[in-house]
Amino acid sequence: MAKTKTTDPAVVQARESRRLSTLLEVSQALSGTLNLRSALHRVLEILSKHHGTVRSIVAFLHDSELRVEAADGIDGPSHAVRYRLGEGIIGRVVESSRPIVVPRVSKEPAFLNRAAKRPDVAKDELSFICVPILLNRRAVGAIGVDLRFNPDRDYDRYVKFLGIVASSIAQAVKIQRLVEEDKKKLVDENTHLRQELKERYDFSTIIGTSGPVRQMYEQMAQVASTNTTVLVRGESGTGKELIAHSIHYNSPRANKPFVKVSCAALPDSLIESELFGYERGAFTGAEQRKKGRFELAEGGTLFLDEIGDINLATQVKLLRVLQEREFERLGSTDTIKVNVRLVAATNKDMERAIAAGTFREDLYYRLNVFTIFVPPLRERKADLLLLVDHFLEKFSREHRKSIKRISTPAIDMLMSYHWPGNVRELENTLERAVLMSDGQVIHGHHLPPSLQTAEASGTVTRVSLSDAVAGFEKDLIQDALKTTRGNRAKAARLLDTTERVLNYKVRKYAVDVRRFTS
């Protein structure tokens, strides 16, 4: 290869300065955007501007085929140009992962001239330099440039320079692939989580077959597919939030946000700013604009839990949102339109609150478009065993226990209790029982003391030592008789005692053996 005859230090310094400036601009172009194709076009324009490239292309390998990703100085579309691996100069460069220099294009028969027709007259003679784009030491593409033929050109130095440009492109490719992988993971994870939520809050996952629960199912199915405002009423711990989730994830808004606000948990001074947001400087401490929950729920569902605890001032603004579907942030005069479905819940006696003047009657009528009453657990005792099985399976899995069943005496205690805390109290009770159990069966003594005397008083927690021992003995005897289907001899052997002693205990504790016989 011919070496440059230029030895003037000023010329050499200017050339090196131009190359450094080019590399800086190339780096800035590649790092300034995540749109790789746009960045590559900019890189090729920089090479044309500073180094007089006549034409240039960047091609990437896709399943053993090279496709032109960006081009400069070429008439017509270049994205449709394809090369097989090893085909033409570019194909050979990618296949070998080594650069190729063609000082005189007209003398090289390997040119395919697919990207552009090159002139073949001497006065327009071109040189072609192509270097691989290496990622993890493997060629993923190539960059090639046409330069006007110059017999004094230092091709070795230009190959090194173009190799640095290719290296910068390779890093941009690596970053783009990482971004695309992360984006795909996020999309897949988001899709998976949405599907999990939909399955988790499907109507079929609400446990219960009793009459009140079936009626609740029917109401939920009727209203879910609409945009109607829903008011969920029920005692604390009955699962009102679960109902709100189920309505949202079985509605046309399922792919939009579900935003929850616990009105009882927010002080009066914050509830308005949380719901409607605020502008910077709206009040002391408001250092930047903040969107409210209504804006965050755009297109989806806003769940206002314990709405009966909202103060009167906020009730006025809430009424306007329900009527006009618009509001202003605190400190702003700009009106914001919203498309949000509202689901509210309360455990309060709303009629009494209206009579007392703590809740606006007009707001109540706006909320009370479609009301769903969630029955308390004491009114759906037929569902208790289904709930018990569900929670035992859940907490056995969470706490890595092997709980197989719950004893008959323990079931009797659960059935006789009045459950003032509803399903939430039952859930907490069974988690405690699973943690206390050291075997595969939940017995009565694993339940809280309040349940162990529930039949007599409902909530008394005090129990004597002799009563506790007697209760434990009775529990074990009934469990053994249940296992042996009422066979006293087998039950005695299970308890490592005699049948005579067992019969004595049966009479003492008034155990009805007939209920265990098959």
Side-chain angles (χ1 to χ4, degrees):
M1 293 182 183
K3 301 295 181 181
T4 180
K5 297 176 182 177
T6 303
T7 58
D8 185 345
V11 174
V12 172
Q13 186 176 359
R15 184 186 297 121
E16 294 303 318
S17 177
R18 186 171 66 250
R19 286 178 178 173
L20 288 174
S21 177
T22 301
L23 293 174
L24 176 61
E25 287 191 44
V26 165
S27 176
Q28 290 173 340
L30 292 170
S31 62
T33 177
L34 290 176
N35 186 332
L36 183 60
R37 177 171 290 181
S38 173
L40 291 174
H41 279 293
R42 177 62 185 145
V43 168
L44 298 183
E45 288 173 358
I46 292 168
L47 291 176
S48 174
K49 175 183 176 183
H50 294 303
H51 296 272
T53 57
V54 178
R55 301 177 186 86
S56 54
I57 63 169
V58 175
F60 286 121
L61 189 62
H62 297 273
D63 299 326
S64 73
E65 184 182 61
L66 282 161
R67 302 176 191 172
V68 175
E69 192 72 19
D72 183 66
I74 295 175
D75 297 329
S78 59
H79 58 271
V81 178
R82 301 284 191 273
Y83 298 94
R84 290 193 303 273
L85 197 62
E87 184 181 32
I89 301 297
I90 294 178
R92 283 161 51 188
V93 166
V94 175
E95 184 179 49
S96 65
S97 297
R98 298 175 66 86
I100 292 179
V101 175
V102 182
R104 300 173 71 96
V105 168
S106 62
K107 308 280 186 195
E108 176 54 62
F111 270 105
L112 301 177
N113 292 333
R114 284 188 186 167
K117 185 178 180 180
R118 291 176 170 83
D120 55 2
V121 293
K123 66 176 182 177
D124 289 326
E125 182 67 86
L126 299 176
S127 299
F128 183 68
I129 302 174
C130 186
V131 300
I133 298 171
L134 300 174
L135 192 59
N136 299 325
R137 297 184 179 180
R138 296 183 62 183
V140 296
I143 177 172
V145 298
D146 280 333
L147 299 166
R148 297 202 180 277
F149 174 69
N150 181 355
D152 296 330
R153 190 182 306 281
D154 187 341
Y155 291 105
D156 286 340
R157 291 186 67 82
Y158 203 91
V159 165
K160 290 178 182 178
F161 163 72
L162 202 58
I164 297 173
V165 174
S167 179
S168 297
I169 293 174
Q171 291 306 308
V173 171
K174 183 177 181 180
I175 291 170
Q176 189 198 43
R177 289 183 178 181
L178 290 173
V179 169
E180 287 177 351
E181 285 176 10
D182 286 344
K183 185 178 179 180
K184 185 177 184 303
K185 285 179 184 177
L186 287 173
V187 170
D188 291 344
E189 185 177 337
N190 185 268
T191 303
H192 175 69
L193 288 174
R194 286 191 180 278
Q195 184 60 32
E196 270 195 354
L197 284 170
K198 189 171 179 65
E199 291 173 0
R200 178 180 177 184
Y201 294 114
D202 189 78
F203 292 154
S204 62
T205 62
I206 299 176
I207 298 167
T209 57
S210 62
V213 172
R214 285 201 304 271
Q215 183 180 358
M216 187 177 70
Y217 287 154
E218 292 173 4
Q219 292 176 322
M220 292 167 62
Q222 288 170 346
V223 79
S225 60
T226 71
N227 289 316
T228 303
T229 299
V230 179
L231 179 62
V232 185
R233 300 184 65 172
E235 296 178 7
S236 179
T238 51
K240 296 187 292 296
E241 185 177 346
L242 177 63
I243 303 303
H245 271 104
S246 297
I247 290 172
H248 171 73
Y249 286 106
N250 288 276
S251 76
R253 298 173 179 261
N255 292 326
K256 297 295 184 178
F258 178 88
V259 178
K260 175 191 172 184
V261 181
S262 180
C263 301
L266 292 171
D268 290 349
S269 58
L270 291 180
I271 184 71
E272 190 173 339
S273 63
E274 282 295 320
L275 287 177
F276 306 113
Y278 53 80
E279 294 289 340
R280 181 179 180 181
F283 51 83
T284 304
E287 297 180 356
Q288 59 185 4
R289 172 189 288 180
K290 179 183 177 182
K291 289 184 177 181
R293 303 295 177 89
F294 270 98
E295 284 182 85
L296 295 175
E298 174 63 28
T301 302
L302 179 65
F303 175 49
L304 297 181
D305 196 13
E306 303 304 345
I307 196 170
D309 292 312
I310 291 182
N311 61 63
L312 288 169
T314 307
Q315 289 179 32
V316 175
K317 277 201 166 185
L318 187 57
L319 177 63
R320 184 195 168 199
V321 177
L322 290 175
Q323 289 176 333
E324 309 296 336
R325 299 293 174 179
E326 62 182 31
F327 64 93
E328 292 86 30
R329 296 193 193 102
L330 290 179
S332 173
T333 57
D334 295 332
T335 300
I336 299 172
K337 294 278 187 180
V338 288
N339 173 23
V340 172
R341 182 192 195 163
L342 189 68
V343 178
T346 183
N347 63 355
K348 291 187 178 299
D349 186 332
M350 300 300 286
E351 291 75 16
R352 183 176 295 178
I354 292 169
T358 58
F359 201 87
R360 292 179 62 97
E361 188 173 13
D362 48 3
L363 176 58
Y364 171 70
Y365 290 133
R366 280 287 176 182
L367 293 170
N368 196 33
V369 179
F370 194 99
T371 302
I372 297 176
F373 288 92
V374 186
L377 186 55
R378 62 182 174 275
E379 294 180 9
R380 45 178 295 209
K381 284 290 184 72
D383 299 327
L384 192 136
L385 290 181
L386 293 174
L387 290 165
V388 167
D389 289 341
H390 167 73
F391 288 131
L392 285 182
E393 181 183 352
K394 172 186 174 182
F395 294 123
S396 296
R397 185 171 58 251
E398 283 185 11
H399 300 296
R400 298 180 181 179
K401 294 291 189 79
S402 181
I403 306 298
K404 301 297 184 184
R405 61 187 179 86
I406 185 167
S407 69
T408 300
I411 291 173
D412 291 341
M413 292 163 63
L414 293 172
M415 293 296 291
S416 62
Y417 188 57
H418 62 295
W419 298 108
N422 292 297
V423 178
R424 185 184 294 125
E425 184 182 7
L426 174 64
E427 182 178 11
N428 294 338
T429 295
L430 292 173
E431 183 172 14
R432 175 187 185 274
V434 168
L435 289 170
M436 291 190 64
S437 175
D438 54 1
Q440 296 184 338
V441 181
I442 298 295
H443 294 287
H445 61 276
H446 295 138
L447 301 177
S450 57
L451 270 71
Q452 294 177 24
T453 57
E455 193 170 0
S457 62
T459 56
V460 177
T461 59
R462 184 178 175 184
V463 60
S464 67
L465 177 62
S466 59
D467 287 344
V469 171
F472 182 47
E473 254 190 339
K474 183 179 179 181
D475 191 354
L476 289 177
I477 290 169
Q478 290 186 104
D479 194 38
L481 288 169
K482 181 180 180 180
T483 303
T484 62
R485 298 183 181 276
N487 188 313
R488 301 190 190 194
K490 290 183 179 179
R493 287 196 293 273
L494 280 178
L495 296 172
D496 200 18
T497 187
T498 64
E499 189 175 354
R500 185 177 66 82
V501 171
L502 180 68
N503 285 329
Y504 167 74
K505 298 286 187 181
V506 165
R507 290 193 300 272
K508 178 181 177 181
Y509 299 127
V511 176
D512 185 4
V513 180
R514 290 173 298 178
R515 64 185 291 202
F516 303 109
T517 58
S518 55

